[in-house]
Amino acid sequence: MIPEPARLSAWDLVAVGLAGLRARRGRAVLSALGVAIGIASMVAVMGISTVSGAGLQEQLARVGTNVLTVAPGHSINGKEASLPLESVARVSHIPGVVGATAIAYVKGATARRTKLIDPAVTNGVGVAAVRLDLLATLKGTVRSGTFLNPATARYPAVVLGTYAADRFGIDRPGRQIYIAGRWMTVIGILDPLPLAPDLDNAALVGWPYAEKELGFDGHPTIVYERSTDDRVTTIAKALAATANPEHPDQVQVSRPSDALTAELAARAAFNGLFLGLGAVALLVGGIGIANVMVISVLERRQEIGLRRSLGATRGQIRLQFVVEAVALSLCGGVTGTIVGLAASLLFALAQGWPLALPAQVITLGVTAAVLVGIVSGLYPARRAAALTPTEALATG
Amino acid sequence: MSVIELEHASKTYPGGVRALWDATLTIGPGELVAVCGPSGSGKSTMLHLMGTLDRPSEGRVRLLGHDTAALSDRRLSAVRANWIGFVFQQFFLTAHLTAAENVATRLLYLGVPARRRIMAAHEALERVGLGDRLTHRPHELSGGERQRVAIARALVARPVVLFADEPTGNLDTASGAGIVDILWKLHEEGTTVVVITHNTDLAEALPRRVDVLDGRLQ
Ligand SMILES: Nc1ncnc2c1ncn2[C@@H]1O[C@H](COP(=O)(O)OP(=O)(O)O)[C@@H](O)[C@H]1O
Ligand SMILES: [Mg+2]
């Protein structure tokens, strides 16, 4: 009987493909490098996006999206409006509100490191009077020292926002800084406040002390309220009228977590650009592999002829070269994925973000490499398979 | 039944070169045949037709009674894998593979598992007297030894017929004689062997001789 061609096992196919690469190691490394660069950049972009997204999301989850702020807009005559004295109390009585607090910038007051610096020269750090429930409402934390308490809120004690402390070069409590003509003692430094980034750059003093010693009139600049999640939209509508019943139009209500959400979205758009660049690098890498494989087919006509004479079918020759291209691309892809992941994990470490291992990014890197290998191997493989045994054997 | 039958087989290459004219020839099982003729006379063309590496432009080629014209390229590949062994003047060994791996490659396209391939390769190399060269690479072997590796590769699958195209063409006299001895041994063991040569002395020494001149059998 006329025999049927045998089927090669997957293992044999891989072995044949890899043997072809081992014989031309230097060239294999160079052509895999192109794919490695493309995949590494794509994986790094997506990996960094994943870890930074995870970082932002963690921050959002921690501070919540249920805080609203009320700030005065501008009155009709252009004068800066202020919020009524009793606005905090009224806001805190809205059903669903679980906490309300306020800050007020003390007009004309700045904080400076020494008395010697002319207040007109430095755009010094702003001074804000704060209520004691500020940290509870904004879910803020203290980096060093303590926050104000009922006692220290009546004394020349100050808590610095994280960047204000950095600007002063202060990293622990105990130092004195110069505020509105007097020395005050730093008793604490805060961690960043994602919901009130302005306060990161401010010096915070007690409400009663500001009223008594700094000529502060007691009108809040910003009221913060936190509610249950399901009440946020309802409260947002009622907030202006509650905070300032006489002039609800002079009040601005906003949701500070929107800035974080917007940052997440912006990041995704930014990623698109870099992913595109990575894809171009990958394409160039794929063309490199196709080139190397075409040269390889030209050089290995005798090997192809020999294999045909030993009984290889056209299909088996084609498959051998596709497997070789995929192996080549996969070597680059795996290297690129490892490099890209390492880059994104290092980035996460440097930023203090959680180390999220982006599983779908790894899958994507490897899949992209396999696809690039198949596509770039197809044409050379077809050329190899198209050779007749005698054509192939005749050369050289 | 005959192993090979050429029936008025002709081969015209693209461009009009008639390399083989109206060749009719029958080779029976177990024969050791020399195809002899000067360079360019069409010997290799004839071997390619008999070995299913190429198809005749006219006429028929039968292998074990089967008309090869009726077979697809795929089936012809399987025919080569199962029935035919080739030995070429240039050896065609793969440089980065050992002698045993080169021989084992022959069994790849028969679907033989890797372990059995290597075992069979060792056996075949012992049959050609290279039992002590299993892990040598081609560049570590002499010309005669390389050709013996090629013969081991051809016979490891126990083909019905072995074609050798100028097997001694690249070898010195002593090595060439060694190769001819092996071909004789295979013939004595019952393999059908077709040797192509332009060396009339070699052809004269074999049991049957077919002469080719300008594409015609004499
Ligand atoms: N692929 C080919 N295309 C065109 N002409 C060829 C081809 N192969 C061989 N020939 C020609 O056919 C003739 C016979 O060649 P060949 O069979 O190789 O002879 P031999 O093996 O006896 O030296 C020569 O003239 C050669 O140039
Ligand atoms: Mg020839």
Side-chain angles (χ1 to χ4, degrees):
Chain A
M1 263 323 294
I2 300 286
E4 268 287 328
R7 195 176 281 275
L8 295 197
S9 71
W11 198 92
D12 281 335
L13 265 175
V14 170
V16 167
L18 289 181
L21 294 186
R22 256 189 299 139
R24 296 159 195 81
R25 241 170 247 164
R27 196 192 288 169
V29 167
L30 281 179
S31 52
L33 197 63
V35 174
I37 292 171
I39 299 264
S41 50
M42 289 179 78
V43 166
V45 165
M46 295 186 58
I48 287 173
S49 147
T50 307
V51 292
S52 72
L56 265 177
Q57 244 143 18
E58 190 202 50
Q59 211 173 45
L60 259 178
R62 187 163 49 77
V63 299
T65 54
N66 50 8
V67 168
L68 296 175
T69 65
V70 186
H74 292 276
S75 62
I76 302 155
N77 55 21
K79 256 178 58 187
E80 187 144 315
S82 62
L83 293 172
L85 286 171
E86 63 282 16
S87 49
V88 182
R90 280 205 298 255
V91 166
S92 66
H93 286 121
I94 301 175
V97 170
V98 295
T101 188
I103 65 134
Y105 285 103
V106 180
K107 288 190 193 72
T110 57
R112 282 170 288 135
R113 206 149 58 97
T114 71
K115 200 172 168 177
L116 297 173
I117 299 170
D118 179 354
V121 174
T122 57
N123 38 0
V125 166
V127 177
V130 299
R131 291 167 46 123
L132 299 180
D133 48 10
L134 181 82
L135 291 193
T137 307
L138 296 183
K139 301 229 170 120
T141 47
V142 175
R143 184 169 99 195
S144 172
T146 56
F147 194 61
L148 298 162
N149 61 31
T152 50
R154 303 185 172 279
Y155 289 106
V158 59
V159 172
L160 293 176
T162 190
Y163 298 133
D166 290 346
R167 275 171 71 176
F168 289 144
I170 294 174
D171 60 356
R172 67 181 74 92
R175 282 278 308 271
Q176 304 252 307
I177 57 171
Y178 197 68
I179 291 180
R182 75 214 64 207
W183 289 101
M184 293 180 72
T185 306
V186 175
I187 61 163
I189 298 165
L190 297 184
D191 282 316
L193 289 167
L195 292 181
D198 287 351
L199 295 185
D200 290 341
N201 226 338
L204 314 181
V205 299
W207 198 278
Y209 180 82
E211 281 182 317
K212 205 167 124 225
E213 304 289 343
L214 302 179
F216 161 53
D217 62 5
H219 285 273
T221 312
I222 303 172
V223 172
Y224 299 88
E225 68 79 22
R226 184 183 290 276
S227 66
T228 54
D229 286 344
D230 54 320
R231 295 280 298 160
V232 174
T233 20
T234 322
I235 292 173
K237 286 180 200 137
L239 209 49
T242 312
N244 195 347
E246 284 158 39
H247 301 288
D249 54 313
Q250 291 176 17
V251 164
Q252 281 182 343
V253 173
S254 58
R255 190 175 189 175
S257 55
D258 284 352
L260 296 177
T261 321
E263 206 179 322
L264 266 177
R267 204 163 296 233
F270 186 66
N271 284 342
L273 182 72
F274 277 95
L275 275 185
L277 289 177
V280 170
L282 193 57
L283 183 72
V284 173
I287 293 171
I289 286 189
N291 253 320
V292 163
M293 292 300 296
V294 167
I295 293 168
S296 185
V297 168
L298 287 177
E299 283 177 354
R300 290 157 70 190
R301 286 170 72 119
Q302 283 190 352
E303 180 198 325
I304 295 163
L306 175 77
R307 287 183 187 274
R308 292 303 312 271
S309 81
L310 296 183
T313 63
R314 282 186 199 281
Q316 285 164 339
I317 295 292
R318 191 180 314 130
L319 213 51
Q320 175 187 340
F321 281 90
V322 170
V323 165
E324 210 171 300
V326 169
L328 206 53
S329 180
L330 204 54
C331 287
V334 169
T335 315
T337 303
I338 291 171
V339 169
L341 275 183
S344 43
L345 291 185
L346 281 179
F347 194 72
L349 273 179
Q351 300 281 323
W353 287 331
L355 293 184
L357 198 65
Q360 78 278 25
V361 173
I362 299 171
T363 321
L364 192 108
V366 172
T367 314
V370 171
L371 283 181
V372 165
I374 290 174
V375 170
S376 56
L378 226 44
Y379 169 69
R382 288 173 73 141
R383 283 186 58 159
L387 288 170
T388 68
T390 46
E391 273 170 350
L393 285 171
T395 39
Chain B
M1 189 181 49
S2 63
V3 175
I4 297 153
E5 264 175 81
L6 294 185
E7 226 175 78
H8 305 293
S10 298
K11 178 69 189 180
T12 309
Y13 286 110
V17 182
R18 273 228 159 151
L20 196 66
W21 272 80
D22 196 28
T24 299
L25 173 71
T26 303
I27 296 174
E31 277 200 80
L32 172 52
V33 184
V35 175
C36 186
S39 183
S41 56
K43 307 182 297 293
S44 293
T45 300
M46 198 169 127
L47 174 132
H48 291 158
L49 296 187
M50 294 192 291
T52 75
L53 291 173
D54 207 350
R55 294 175 188 273
S57 319
E58 288 147 59
R60 308 216 162 271
V61 176
R62 287 184 215 280
L63 264 161
L64 299 179
H66 299 282
D67 186 354
T68 56
L71 301 179
S72 67
D73 190 76
R74 225 176 132 261
R75 290 305 275 282
L76 283 185
S77 302
V79 162
R80 292 195 291 274
N82 284 273
W83 293 351
I84 300 174
F86 289 101
V87 174
F88 299 99
Q89 182 176 358
Q90 308 93 317
F91 322 136
F92 292 139
L93 299 181
T94 306
H96 61 274
L97 298 183
T98 64
E101 288 166 343
N102 265 289
V103 174
T105 305
R106 174 68 180 83
L107 297 173
L108 182 68
Y109 298 105
L110 280 170
V112 178
R115 272 179 54 94
R116 291 219 339 251
R117 290 206 295 268
I118 282 292
M119 276 163 53
H122 288 181
E123 216 175 283
L125 282 166
E126 265 154 31
R127 278 176 76 191
V128 299
L130 288 179
D132 55 347
R133 296 284 193 278
L134 302 177
T135 57
H136 286 57
R137 283 168 212 279
H139 67 88
E140 298 164 330
L141 299 171
S142 72
E145 287 171 331
R146 287 182 210 179
Q147 193 60 299
R148 281 194 274 163
V149 173
I151 293 176
R153 180 177 62 194
L155 62 84
V156 68
R158 306 198 175 277
V160 175
V161 53
L162 186 142
F163 293 104
D165 192 349
E166 307 271 12
T168 61
N170 280 1
L171 303 178
D172 59 65
T173 323
S175 312
I179 297 300
V180 175
D181 283 348
I182 293 173
L183 296 177
W184 266 102
K185 206 175 94 190
L186 292 174
H187 164 63
E188 279 153 15
E189 289 167 9
T191 312
T192 309
V193 181
V194 179
V195 185
I196 280 178
T197 181
H198 64 267
N199 181 339
T200 41
D201 292 341
L202 197 167
E204 202 53 57
L206 300 189
R208 182 178 169 195
R209 172 175 166 181
V210 175
D211 282 305
V212 191
L213 195 64
D214 290 335
R216 290 181 182 274
L217 299 192
Q218 301 298 297

